[in-house]
Amino acid sequence: MILKTLILFHSYTGKTKALAERKAAELMADIEEIKTVRRPSKFGAFVVGIPSSIGRKKAKIHPIKSSFDEYDKIVLMSPVWAGHTTPAVNSAIDCIPSGKRVEVIMVSSSGETDESADRIKALIYNRGCEVTDYTDVKA
């Protein structure tokens, strides 16, 4: 059985986007970028974005265009900001309907998400979804 997959990602510097595009090609999956309504400056991402990530805050995002009903599996990809998902990804998690299978891929240049992995999974489980895999990737 072939699962229809959606790669849903947020990228600030382009590293996560590049990995998401490769993963989509590998899985023959559809792909959609999570975009914030206001993109913070590099300084703003550091000063506001990182503390917001640690506090599990959310960002205002553009509506997700993909219909989740069409997909068996969602691959959720986020850059690592201070060991956490970005505020944009926190908002996108709220859009995923219950019953979905979700794979989480955290993309960083050096960080680990060991301390926050359980919290990320809990956000997804609280949506009534199953976390099928969790991976830290160095880019």
Side-chain angles (χ1 to χ4, degrees):
M1 178 177 153
I2 297 175
L3 297 178
K4 188 161 183 195
T5 302
L6 172 66
I7 309 283
L8 190 60
F9 74 95
H10 178 241
S11 186
Y12 187 79
T13 64
K15 291 177 186 173
T16 303
K17 181 177 184 174
L19 287 171
E21 289 170 344
R22 283 198 300 269
K23 184 85 170 171
E26 172 189 316
L27 297 176
M28 293 186 293
D30 293 336
I31 186 169
E32 183 169 346
E33 184 171 4
I34 303 161
K35 294 184 178 182
T36 56
V37 171
R38 289 182 49 191
R39 179 180 164 90
S41 66
K42 195 170 195 176
F43 179 74
F46 181 76
V47 172
V48 176
I50 289 176
S52 294
S53 290
I54 293 168
R56 292 282 176 228
K57 296 198 184 280
K58 298 174 184 170
K60 186 168 175 98
I61 61 173
H62 289 281
I64 294 172
K65 296 175 185 171
S66 300
S67 173
F68 287 106
D69 292 340
E70 296 178 19
Y71 299 97
D72 303 300
K73 181 179 177 182
I74 310 298
V75 177
L76 185 64
M77 298 179 71
S78 177
V80 175
W81 285 8
H84 300 276
T85 52
T86 64
V89 170
N90 294 338
S91 295
I93 289 170
D94 285 347
C95 299
I96 300 172
S98 66
K100 291 297 175 185
R101 300 177 59 192
V102 181
E103 175 182 349
V104 179
I105 300 175
M106 299 294 291
V107 182
S108 73
S109 55
S110 63
E112 295 286 338
T113 61
D114 294 341
E115 292 181 21
S116 66
D118 289 338
R119 288 185 282 177
I120 297 162
K121 291 176 187 176
L123 289 174
I124 294 166
Y125 289 133
N126 289 340
R127 295 289 310 155
C129 298
E130 172 191 356
V131 177
T132 60
D133 198 12
Y134 184 95
T135 309
D136 280 314
V137 175
K138 302 288 187 266

